[in-house]
Amino acid sequence: MTDHGRDPGDVVILAAGAWSREIAGIPPAHLPPVRPIKGQILALRMDPAAPLLRHVIWLPRGYLVPRVDGRLVVGATVEERGFDDTLTAGGLLALLEGAWRAVPGIEELPIAETWVGFRPGSRDDAPMLGPSGIDGLVVATGHHRNGILLTPLTAAAVSAYVLTGRLPEMVEPFTPERFSDKHVRSTTTTGRMAAAEAR
């Protein structure tokens, strides 16, 4: 919808992250089973001319990411709290303690910013890519913590599907259809048949 009115699209790609289940106008049975995974994050301020870190560090429960502007991003908690956007002392303490254990020098850095983000989690925490069950509606969501890492693959797979009507083979296990009742019944029946044959 633009200032000039409505223009119909041949294909709509549902890629609304943690909000993918909130989009109006889609029948409930075809909404992707996505839930928000809360993440508290903070940024410390380093001297851009002499930063404490110049590379990413992966921690047991988080990461440190230096930015060109001198900020050091410390993230992130993983919480099943719905769309609760409150920052908590415990969440920030956990982030700071993990970062301090890896790089004790952060102790002197000022806190520049704190915020909360929401990751899209599917039932199995793997992405949902491909047909939604509604003609012209394609799903690209559910990436959990790996959205930014899987962006190139997601773009390639979804655009291939839109242009050719076929998903790349490596993406087929990740269609939203794996959560449908029909797919579950089919998988269960196939499993029972295989077990019977094995006997």
Side-chain angles (χ1 to χ4, degrees), residues 1-48:
M1 190 165 59
T2 69
D3 293 340
H4 304 292
R6 292 175 179 266
D7 288 312
D10 296 328
V11 176
V12 173
I13 298 170
L14 175 55
W19 293 267
S20 293
R21 195 161 179 77
E22 310 290 316
I23 303 299
I26 300 173
H30 294 284
L31 286 168
V34 171
R35 71 195 191 284
I37 310 294
K38 176 181 177 180
Q40 298 184 55
I41 311 168
L42 62 91
L44 304 173
R45 192 166 56 248
M46 302 183 293
D47 178 357

Side-chain angles (χ1 to χ4, degrees), residues 45-54 70 109:
R45 192 166 56 248
M46 302 183 293
D47 178 357
L52 190 60
L53 280 181
R54 295 182 185 274
L109 299 178

Side-chain angles (χ1 to χ4, degrees), residues 43 46 48 51 53 56 63 65-73 115 148:
M46 302 183 293
L53 280 181
V56 174
Y63 50 80
V65 180
R67 300 290 192 201
V68 177
D69 64 2
R71 289 185 311 144
L72 177 62
V73 176
W115 69 97
I148 197 163

Side-chain angles (χ1 to χ4, degrees), residues 13 30 32-33 64 67 83 87-88 121 128 134 137 183-184 186 191:
I13 298 170
H30 294 284
L64 301 173
R67 300 290 192 201
F83 285 109
L87 290 156
T88 65
M128 290 179 281
I134 297 176
L137 180 63
H183 179 77
V184 170
S186 171

Side-chain angles (χ1 to χ4, degrees), residues 36-128:
I37 310 294
K38 176 181 177 180
Q40 298 184 55
I41 311 168
L42 62 91
L44 304 173
R45 192 166 56 248
M46 302 183 293
D47 178 357
L52 190 60
L53 280 181
R54 295 182 185 274
H55 57 275
V56 174
I57 294 180
W58 293 101
L59 306 173
R61 291 188 176 149
Y63 50 80
L64 301 173
V65 180
R67 300 290 192 201
V68 177
D69 64 2
R71 289 185 311 144
L72 177 62
V73 176
V74 182
T77 63
V78 179
E79 305 172 55
E80 297 278 357
R81 303 275 185 208
F83 285 109
D84 171 14
D85 64 355
T86 54
L87 290 156
T88 65
L92 297 179
L93 174 63
L95 294 175
L96 287 168
E97 183 179 25
W100 176 79
R101 288 182 182 280
V103 184
I106 69 158
E107 191 170 69
E108 301 299 322
L109 299 178
I111 294 175
E113 188 180 5
T114 57
W115 69 97
V116 169
F118 300 101
R119 311 170 186 93
S122 68
R123 287 184 195 155
D124 59 6
D125 291 331
M128 290 179 281

